[in-house]
Amino acid sequence: QVQLVEPGGGLVQPGGSLRLSCAASGSIFNVNDMGWSRQLPGKQRELVARITRRGVTKYADFVLDRFSISRHNGKNEIYLEINSLKPEESAVYYCSAVVITEWHGPERTYWGQGTQVTVSS
């Protein structure tokens, strides 16, 4: 089994910054793409950013250089720096990881339980 744990999140003032982290653990042979998604109230989950094992990144259009994704391959961790947060961006943020659990095994996507980010004064 593979687990993704996302400590962090919480209450942030408008215009503030936050750093989220996510650690993958368990029966892992290799971790390929990792990413962050978010689900705003009443909306579908949407991709925020993703990063390959080699560090190639891709961001959603709405990010506008305010978000930065990074990873530590040795720890199977990813991070998301979020700046200039807006109240309408209050959401549950989820991390994901494409994991291979054994040699020549298939890839499978795992998700964290989500962490609430609330932007409010």
mmCIF file with all atom_site columns, all heavy atoms in Angstrom, residues 11-15 86-87 90 118-121:
data_model
loop_
_atom_site.group_PDB
_atom_site.id
_atom_site.type_symbol
_atom_site.label_atom_id
_atom_site.label_alt_id
_atom_site.label_comp_id
_atom_site.label_asym_id
_atom_site.label_entity_id
_atom_site.label_seq_id
_atom_site.pdbx_PDB_ins_code
_atom_site.Cartn_x
_atom_site.Cartn_y
_atom_site.Cartn_z
_atom_site.occupancy
_atom_site.B_iso_or_equiv
_atom_site.pdbx_formal_charge
_atom_site.auth_seq_id
_atom_site.auth_comp_id
_atom_site.auth_asym_id
_atom_site.auth_atom_id
_atom_site.pdbx_PDB_model_num
ATOM 1  N N   . LEU A 1 11  ? -5.530  28.486 7.937  1.00 0.00 ? 11  LEU A N   1
ATOM 2  C CA  . LEU A 1 11  ? -6.107  29.797 7.669  1.00 0.00 ? 11  LEU A CA  1
ATOM 3  C C   . LEU A 1 11  ? -5.014  30.779 7.248  1.00 0.00 ? 11  LEU A C   1
ATOM 4  O O   . LEU A 1 11  ? -3.978  30.886 7.904  1.00 0.00 ? 11  LEU A O   1
ATOM 5  C CB  . LEU A 1 11  ? -6.810  30.310 8.923  1.00 0.00 ? 11  LEU A CB  1
ATOM 6  C CG  . LEU A 1 11  ? -7.455  31.690 8.847  1.00 0.00 ? 11  LEU A CG  1
ATOM 7  C CD1 . LEU A 1 11  ? -8.590  31.689 7.836  1.00 0.00 ? 11  LEU A CD1 1
ATOM 8  C CD2 . LEU A 1 11  ? -7.954  32.110 10.224 1.00 0.00 ? 11  LEU A CD2 1
ATOM 9  N N   . VAL A 1 12  ? -5.263  31.490 6.157  1.00 0.00 ? 12  VAL A N   1
ATOM 10 C CA  . VAL A 1 12  ? -4.313  32.466 5.624  1.00 0.00 ? 12  VAL A CA  1
ATOM 11 C C   . VAL A 1 12  ? -5.071  33.756 5.321  1.00 0.00 ? 12  VAL A C   1
ATOM 12 O O   . VAL A 1 12  ? -6.206  33.699 4.834  1.00 0.00 ? 12  VAL A O   1
ATOM 13 C CB  . VAL A 1 12  ? -3.641  31.948 4.334  1.00 0.00 ? 12  VAL A CB  1
ATOM 14 C CG1 . VAL A 1 12  ? -2.596  32.941 3.846  1.00 0.00 ? 12  VAL A CG1 1
ATOM 15 C CG2 . VAL A 1 12  ? -3.030  30.594 4.550  1.00 0.00 ? 12  VAL A CG2 1
ATOM 16 N N   . GLN A 1 13  ? -4.447  34.884 5.590  1.00 0.00 ? 13  GLN A N   1
ATOM 17 C CA  . GLN A 1 13  ? -5.082  36.166 5.270  1.00 0.00 ? 13  GLN A CA  1
ATOM 18 C C   . GLN A 1 13  ? -4.999  36.439 3.775  1.00 0.00 ? 13  GLN A C   1
ATOM 19 O O   . GLN A 1 13  ? -4.064  35.974 3.106  1.00 0.00 ? 13  GLN A O   1
ATOM 20 C CB  . GLN A 1 13  ? -4.391  37.285 6.031  1.00 0.00 ? 13  GLN A CB  1
ATOM 21 C CG  . GLN A 1 13  ? -4.656  37.260 7.524  1.00 0.00 ? 13  GLN A CG  1
ATOM 22 C CD  . GLN A 1 13  ? -4.250  38.552 8.196  1.00 0.00 ? 13  GLN A CD  1
ATOM 23 O OE1 . GLN A 1 13  ? -3.473  39.336 7.663  1.00 0.00 ? 13  GLN A OE1 1
ATOM 24 N NE2 . GLN A 1 13  ? -4.789  38.783 9.396  1.00 0.00 ? 13  GLN A NE2 1
ATOM 25 N N   . PRO A 1 14  ? -5.946  37.173 3.223  1.00 0.00 ? 14  PRO A N   1
ATOM 26 C CA  . PRO A 1 14  ? -5.871  37.541 1.803  1.00 0.00 ? 14  PRO A CA  1
ATOM 27 C C   . PRO A 1 14  ? -4.548  38.223 1.477  1.00 0.00 ? 14  PRO A C   1
ATOM 28 O O   . PRO A 1 14  ? -4.075  39.068 2.228  1.00 0.00 ? 14  PRO A O   1
ATOM 29 C CB  . PRO A 1 14  ? -7.044  38.508 1.633  1.00 0.00 ? 14  PRO A CB  1
ATOM 30 C CG  . PRO A 1 14  ? -8.014  38.097 2.688  1.00 0.00 ? 14  PRO A CG  1
ATOM 31 C CD  . PRO A 1 14  ? -7.176  37.674 3.859  1.00 0.00 ? 14  PRO A CD  1
ATOM 32 N N   . GLY A 1 15  ? -3.958  37.802 0.361  1.00 0.00 ? 15  GLY A N   1
ATOM 33 C CA  . GLY A 1 15  ? -2.653  38.320 -0.022 1.00 0.00 ? 15  GLY A CA  1
ATOM 34 C C   . GLY A 1 15  ? -1.495  37.593 0.630  1.00 0.00 ? 15  GLY A C   1
ATOM 35 O O   . GLY A 1 15  ? -0.333  37.863 0.306  1.00 0.00 ? 15  GLY A O   1
ATOM 36 N N   . LYS A 1 86  ? -6.134  34.527 -2.628 1.00 0.00 ? 86  LYS A N   1
ATOM 37 C CA  . LYS A 1 86  ? -7.390  35.263 -2.686 1.00 0.00 ? 86  LYS A CA  1
ATOM 38 C C   . LYS A 1 86  ? -8.467  34.498 -1.930 1.00 0.00 ? 86  LYS A C   1
ATOM 39 O O   . LYS A 1 86  ? -8.446  33.258 -1.897 1.00 0.00 ? 86  LYS A O   1
ATOM 40 C CB  . LYS A 1 86  ? -7.823  35.440 -4.141 1.00 0.00 ? 86  LYS A CB  1
ATOM 41 C CG  . LYS A 1 86  ? -6.759  36.000 -5.060 1.00 0.00 ? 86  LYS A CG  1
ATOM 42 C CD  . LYS A 1 86  ? -7.183  35.899 -6.511 1.00 0.00 ? 86  LYS A CD  1
ATOM 43 C CE  . LYS A 1 86  ? -6.058  36.296 -7.450 1.00 0.00 ? 86  LYS A CE  1
ATOM 44 N NZ  . LYS A 1 86  ? -6.433  36.110 -8.865 1.00 0.00 ? 86  LYS A NZ  1
ATOM 45 N N   . PRO A 1 87  ? -9.436  35.180 -1.329 1.00 0.00 ? 87  PRO A N   1
ATOM 46 C CA  . PRO A 1 87  ? -10.497 34.476 -0.597 1.00 0.00 ? 87  PRO A CA  1
ATOM 47 C C   . PRO A 1 87  ? -11.221 33.428 -1.446 1.00 0.00 ? 87  PRO A C   1
ATOM 48 O O   . PRO A 1 87  ? -11.587 32.366 -0.936 1.00 0.00 ? 87  PRO A O   1
ATOM 49 C CB  . PRO A 1 87  ? -11.438 35.612 -0.194 1.00 0.00 ? 87  PRO A CB  1
ATOM 50 C CG  . PRO A 1 87  ? -10.562 36.808 -0.102 1.00 0.00 ? 87  PRO A CG  1
ATOM 51 C CD  . PRO A 1 87  ? -9.540  36.636 -1.202 1.00 0.00 ? 87  PRO A CD  1
ATOM 52 N N   . SER A 1 90  ? -10.077 29.658 -1.457 1.00 0.00 ? 90  SER A N   1
ATOM 53 C CA  . SER A 1 90  ? -10.279 28.717 -0.358 1.00 0.00 ? 90  SER A CA  1
ATOM 54 C C   . SER A 1 90  ? -10.750 27.398 -0.950 1.00 0.00 ? 90  SER A C   1
ATOM 55 O O   . SER A 1 90  ? -11.713 27.358 -1.722 1.00 0.00 ? 90  SER A O   1
ATOM 56 C CB  . SER A 1 90  ? -11.327 29.251 0.616  1.00 0.00 ? 90  SER A CB  1
ATOM 57 O OG  . SER A 1 90  ? -10.881 30.432 1.233  1.00 0.00 ? 90  SER A OG  1
ATOM 58 N N   . THR A 1 118 ? -7.997  27.897 3.885  1.00 0.00 ? 118 THR A N   1
ATOM 59 C CA  . THR A 1 118 ? -9.032  28.926 3.975  1.00 0.00 ? 118 THR A CA  1
ATOM 60 C C   . THR A 1 118 ? -8.379  30.294 3.941  1.00 0.00 ? 118 THR A C   1
ATOM 61 O O   . THR A 1 118 ? -7.477  30.574 4.743  1.00 0.00 ? 118 THR A O   1
ATOM 62 C CB  . THR A 1 118 ? -9.844  28.765 5.271  1.00 0.00 ? 118 THR A CB  1
ATOM 63 O OG1 . THR A 1 118 ? -10.452 27.467 5.292  1.00 0.00 ? 118 THR A OG1 1
ATOM 64 C CG2 . THR A 1 118 ? -10.943 29.824 5.356  1.00 0.00 ? 118 THR A CG2 1
ATOM 65 N N   . VAL A 1 119 ? -8.809  31.122 2.994  1.00 0.00 ? 119 VAL A N   1
ATOM 66 C CA  . VAL A 1 119 ? -8.256  32.462 2.841  1.00 0.00 ? 119 VAL A CA  1
ATOM 67 C C   . VAL A 1 119 ? -9.303  33.456 3.340  1.00 0.00 ? 119 VAL A C   1
ATOM 68 O O   . VAL A 1 119 ? -10.346 33.649 2.716  1.00 0.00 ? 119 VAL A O   1
ATOM 69 C CB  . VAL A 1 119 ? -7.893  32.756 1.380  1.00 0.00 ? 119 VAL A CB  1
ATOM 70 C CG1 . VAL A 1 119 ? -7.190  34.108 1.267  1.00 0.00 ? 119 VAL A CG1 1
ATOM 71 C CG2 . VAL A 1 119 ? -7.024  31.647 0.812  1.00 0.00 ? 119 VAL A CG2 1
ATOM 72 N N   . SER A 1 120 ? -9.010  34.065 4.472  1.00 0.00 ? 120 SER A N   1
ATOM 73 C CA  . SER A 1 120 ? -9.994  34.960 5.091  1.00 0.00 ? 120 SER A CA  1
ATOM 74 C C   . SER A 1 120 ? -9.304  35.878 6.086  1.00 0.00 ? 120 SER A C   1
ATOM 75 O O   . SER A 1 120 ? -8.300  35.512 6.702  1.00 0.00 ? 120 SER A O   1
ATOM 76 C CB  . SER A 1 120 ? -11.069 34.132 5.808  1.00 0.00 ? 120 SER A CB  1
ATOM 77 O OG  . SER A 1 120 ? -11.958 34.981 6.505  1.00 0.00 ? 120 SER A OG  1
ATOM 78 N N   . SER A 1 121 ? -9.852  37.070 6.238  1.00 0.00 ? 121 SER A N   1
ATOM 79 C CA  . SER A 1 121 ? -9.340  37.999 7.243  1.00 0.00 ? 121 SER A CA  1
ATOM 80 C C   . SER A 1 121 ? -10.121 37.858 8.539  1.00 0.00 ? 121 SER A C   1
ATOM 81 O O   . SER A 1 121 ? -9.839  38.540 9.516  1.00 0.00 ? 121 SER A O   1
ATOM 82 C CB  . SER A 1 121 ? -9.423  39.437 6.722  1.00 0.00 ? 121 SER A CB  1
ATOM 83 O OG  . SER A 1 121 ? -10.739 39.737 6.329  1.00 0.00 ? 121 SER A OG  1
#
